[in-house]
Amino acid sequence: MEGLTERVVAAGRAAGLVAVGVTSAEPFDDARRHLEERRAAGLSSTMQFTYRNPARSTDPSRALPGARALVAAAYPVCGVTPAKAGATPHTGAVGRVARYAWRDHYAELRAALGACAAVLEADGYAARVFADDNAFVDRAVAVRAGLGWFGKNANVLFPGHGSWVVLGCVVTTAPLETGAEPVADGCGGCTRCIDGCPTNAIVAPGVVDARRCLAWLVQQEGTFPVEFRAALGDRIYGCDDCQEVCPPSRRIRHDDAPRRTVDLAAIVEADDADLLRDYGAWYIAQRDPRYLKRNALIALGNSGDSGDESVRELLRRWAQSADELLAEHAQWALERLDT
């Protein structure tokens, strides 16, 4: 089946994937053990995703009976970022957005994986696309397919691309050629990601405590932990710090587009329907836009102009809100401006 494997890989490359590889559909026993151990230790916090059912998310046959191979893939998040139609420059405090969420990269990844699946299906095999899905440990798939290695920040690092990618795979009944050589660990003694995490969330090489990770906390429902609010800074969604200090990732040439930002006051004041329309591709807990507003209130407290009376008036008004969650975070932001 070498010809089919080559055609699948070529289709993925032509569709924009920067790395494509094939591995067997055997269960990922090590990944299952790690998920179960970390969940038992509380490191997954309330995160579900692959932690919800490790037996399922580590066994390809649960996703597609008769699975014989996996096509692992990576799509870049460092390409040109198109300007949002009708966007106007922000005049007040702005919040940062993690690079992977600048646009819906996962939609682009799914389309590229679909091109791989189409080749398989045209030859009569079953194929299912998975991206950003709790059915798969896609990082383990990429490593076993010989595409990269696990960095100390738990991201997969790809030669020539660092960790600036989103991952997915195709599960298929096709007997594709497997047996790729593993990629050697390129981290060595470097600990920049561990040292650079603003909340010390990387508790051991390759082990992240979600209870301390800003990228998870902005997605978690409920009250944002007080002890990490100042560390959130001006972030509103995601955190790139452990990638930005990583040498293999720092070598990647980014486009010249400015860092994606959002108007914090506009987020707080926006209608829920508008927030879901504009930011619906993000993971928002319970699909409840209050959590975006909660994050924006914290960021206003951290980065707003303490001398800007309009910011203070906005926060005072929300501190009197009947919504206890938002009122509490607005009050914190007011007090933060004074410090």
Side-chain angles (χ1 to χ4, degrees), residues 305-316:
D305 182 352
S306 61
D308 188 337
E309 184 57 29
S310 66
V311 172
R312 287 184 173 277
E313 175 55 32
L314 180 152
L315 293 175
R316 281 194 291 265

Side-chain angles (χ1 to χ4, degrees), residues 49 56-57 59-65 67 70-73 106 109-110 113-114 117 127-138 141 166-172:
F49 207 57
R56 180 188 64 184
S57 60
D59 185 355
S61 68
R62 300 281 291 271
L64 180 65
L70 306 176
V71 180
Y106 280 105
L109 169 64
R110 290 186 188 95
L113 290 170
R128 288 192 62 189
V129 169
F130 292 91
D132 194 28
D133 194 297
N134 61 16
F136 263 105
V137 284
D138 44 24
V141 176
V166 288
L167 305 178
C169 68
V170 178
V171 187
T172 180

Side-chain angles (χ1 to χ4, degrees), residues 277-326:
R277 179 197 65 210
D278 294 341
Y279 305 107
W282 295 357
Y283 177 83
I284 302 173
Q286 303 296 319
R287 304 307 294 165
D288 187 345
R290 294 165 65 241
Y291 295 119
L292 286 182
K293 294 184 177 185
R294 174 201 64 186
N295 298 343
L297 288 168
I298 297 171
L300 271 174
N302 287 326
S303 60
D305 182 352
S306 61
D308 188 337
E309 184 57 29
S310 66
V311 172
R312 287 184 173 277
E313 175 55 32
L314 180 152
L315 293 175
R316 281 194 291 265
R317 179 158 42 83
W318 281 93
Q320 299 300 316
S321 170
D323 186 320
E324 294 183 2
L325 175 77
L326 297 182

Side-chain angles (χ1 to χ4, degrees), residues 219-287:
Q219 297 182 8
Q220 190 174 17
E221 59 186 282
T223 300
F224 199 99
V226 175
E227 63 268 32
F228 301 127
R229 291 181 189 177
L232 186 64
D234 62 348
R235 302 172 186 84
I236 186 173
Y237 191 78
C239 177
D240 285 336
D241 284 25
C242 68
Q243 299 183 84
E244 290 176 340
V245 299
C246 171
S249 296
R250 284 175 62 87
R251 298 187 191 109
I252 307 307
R253 181 183 180 278
H254 292 280
D255 58 58
D256 295 328
R259 182 191 295 273
R260 170 73 183 272
T261 58
V262 295
D263 186 312
L264 293 173
I267 292 286
V268 175
E269 300 283 58
D271 291 336
D272 287 356
D274 291 339
L275 289 177
L276 288 176
R277 179 197 65 210
D278 294 341
Y279 305 107
W282 295 357
Y283 177 83
I284 302 173
Q286 303 296 319
R287 304 307 294 165

Side-chain angles (χ1 to χ4, degrees), residues 27 45 54 77 85 99 170 214-215 293 308:
S45 183
V77 300
R99 182 172 287 270
V170 178
L214 295 176
K293 294 184 177 185
D308 188 337

Side-chain angles (χ1 to χ4, degrees), residues 3 18 26 34 38 47 68 71 94 108 110 146 154 183 223 228 240 251 263 265 285 293:
V18 294
E26 297 172 358
H34 291 151
R38 292 172 192 179
M47 187 185 301
R68 299 183 66 178
V71 180
V94 296
E108 297 160 344
R110 290 186 188 95
V183 174
T223 300
F228 301 127
D240 285 336
R251 298 187 191 109
D263 186 312
K293 294 184 177 185

Side-chain angles (χ1 to χ4, degrees), residues 75-79 81 99-100 102 105 163-166 254-255:
Y75 191 88
V77 300
C78 292
T81 304
R99 182 172 287 270
Y100 82 91
W102 281 11
H105 294 288
S163 59
W164 299 111
V165 297
V166 288
H254 292 280
D255 58 58

